[in-house]
Amino acid sequence: MKHVTIKDVAKQLNVSISSVSRAFNDKYDIKKETKELILKTAEEMGYFPNPIAKKLSQNKTFNIGVVVPEFINEYYSEIIIGIQEVFMAYGYQVLIAQSDENPEIELKNVKTLIHSMVDGLIIAPTMESTNMEYYLKELNNGCPIVFMSRVKENLQASKVLFNNKKWAFFATEHLIRQGYTKIYYLAGSKNLNVSVDRIEGFKRAMNKHKIPKENYKILETGLLAEDGMQIMEDLIYNHDLPDAIFCFNDRVAMGVISKLKSNAIKVPQDIALMGFTETRMVNLMTPKLSSVKQPTFDIGKNAAELLFKQINDSLMEPQTIVLNGELTIRESSVRKL
């Protein structure tokens, strides 16, 4: 289907191209009757502005790139909704790529988006990302970039983070205050900054309440339900069961609950359970899972607003936004008297 141009409209009416252009741009130096005729004819011919030409004239593509590790649960999906709401209001399109927790795919995605001339990038790095040097080089070369979640707080770049230390502390302290004295933390991966931060929060709670070191353990796991099932199977096999378990995320907690149920171990009567992230599945579990709610939509919204500022102010100093959460207590962590 042929794209109708202003040249076609001008030819149809036997007027100059400049007259058509002045009509479209609502210039003062064109008669009202002529402008109305041009606009009416253009609509009848199916004319619409060439978006590519418009973007090139403004030296922008009005495209934003977003790279996230995965789409398995709604955590990143909700973040993306927040990003889209901001940029759609500004007339931008959001191009989304997922790296499947693979740093090589992540880098390829970022390079593809940069070569596609996006106006800026929002990146949530993979678990074992080794690409930060490249990203910072692109940032220094003038490519606006905002990072989310899995980066260090001292990174010299704009970023939106969650206060993992604080809320891991509160989650752990809740278990302690329920009277549980032997608590294990299933800590995700040691390669994640957020995992390190949550470990620190867990330890702070233990130290504050003077829990003996022999009464708690920090066990590295993966990020999936299968990882929770595997670690729980090992603990059951070795007869090494605590009073309560704090999980790196809700998916790991789901795996733990599944394995406990299959071994006739009751939650919370035998072992209490605390998750992290507050996925929608927590209300569908039995018992319902206590968890730390993260403001996913606000993470996306704040990242988008930071990037928009950066796009329009190349001299903007890096900014860090640290968001808070909410501790939601449900059946899984409340001691049954």
Side-chain angles (χ1 to χ4, degrees), residues 46-287:
Y47 169 83
F48 56 88
N50 185 332
I52 297 174
K54 181 181 178 183
K55 290 173 181 178
L56 290 174
S57 70
Q58 297 181 16
N59 200 28
K60 288 184 178 181
T61 64
F62 288 91
N63 288 329
I64 297 301
V66 178
V67 181
V68 296
E70 46 92 354
F71 293 146
I72 293 174
N73 63 45
E74 69 267 19
Y75 178 81
Y76 286 110
S77 300
E78 290 175 357
I79 286 176
I80 289 167
I81 291 170
I83 293 170
Q84 285 183 319
E85 181 170 294
V86 171
F87 274 112
M88 285 179 70
Y90 291 133
Y92 283 76
Q93 288 183 309
V94 180
L95 308 179
I96 304 163
Q98 70 107 6
S99 51
D100 198 27
E101 290 289 4
N102 185 322
E104 292 180 5
I105 296 175
E106 174 190 282
L107 183 59
K108 184 178 180 181
N109 286 336
V110 169
K111 286 183 175 180
T112 298
L113 290 165
I114 289 174
H115 295 160
S116 299
M117 299 177 66
V118 292
D119 294 336
L121 287 163
I122 296 175
I123 303 173
T126 58
M127 187 162 46
E128 299 182 9
S129 181
T130 54
N131 303 320
M132 193 55 67
E133 185 177 343
Y134 174 81
Y135 300 154
L136 293 179
K137 184 183 77 172
E138 290 298 319
L139 182 62
N140 291 330
N141 287 339
C143 178
I145 301 177
V146 170
F147 296 94
M148 296 186 301
S149 300
R150 298 173 173 183
V151 292
K152 294 180 179 178
E153 195 165 347
N154 62 0
L155 179 71
Q156 290 302 301
S158 289
K159 52 197 173 293
V160 179
L161 307 176
F162 179 73
N163 197 330
N164 285 284
K165 294 176 187 177
K166 176 180 178 178
W167 291 96
F169 172 88
F170 285 151
T172 306
E173 187 172 63
H174 162 70
L175 293 174
I176 294 169
R177 285 178 169 168
Q178 286 294 303
Y180 302 114
T181 56
K182 187 178 182 182
I183 304 172
Y184 289 0
Y185 177 46
L186 308 188
S189 169
K190 63 182 178 182
N191 296 317
L192 279 175
N193 293 315
V194 294
S195 182
V196 174
D197 287 346
R198 291 176 196 174
I199 287 172
E200 185 173 332
F202 176 79
K203 286 181 175 179
R204 282 181 184 177
M206 292 296 164
N207 292 335
K208 176 185 174 181
H209 293 273
K210 296 181 172 55
I211 305 297
K213 288 187 176 180
E214 60 269 20
N215 278 26
Y216 66 87
K217 285 184 180 180
I218 298 167
L219 305 171
E220 184 178 355
T221 62
L223 309 180
L224 304 177
E226 292 81 357
D227 300 314
M229 293 177 72
Q230 182 60 59
I231 195 77
M232 207 62 239
E233 185 174 315
D234 295 341
L235 291 172
I236 292 169
Y237 178 80
N238 291 313
H239 303 287
D240 183 15
L241 296 178
D243 300 331
I245 296 174
F246 175 27
C247 296
F248 174 79
N249 63 24
D250 292 348
R251 283 182 289 171
V252 172
M254 290 174 193
V256 169
I257 281 187
S258 175
K259 184 57 66 173
L260 290 174
K261 281 186 175 180
S262 66
N263 284 271
I265 299 171
K266 296 179 180 179
V267 176
Q269 291 89 335
D270 299 322
I271 297 178
L273 197 61
M274 170 68 69
F276 206 105
T277 304
E278 184 80 352
T279 61
R280 294 176 187 175
M281 293 294 292
V282 295
N283 280 313
L284 302 178
M285 298 168 63
T286 305

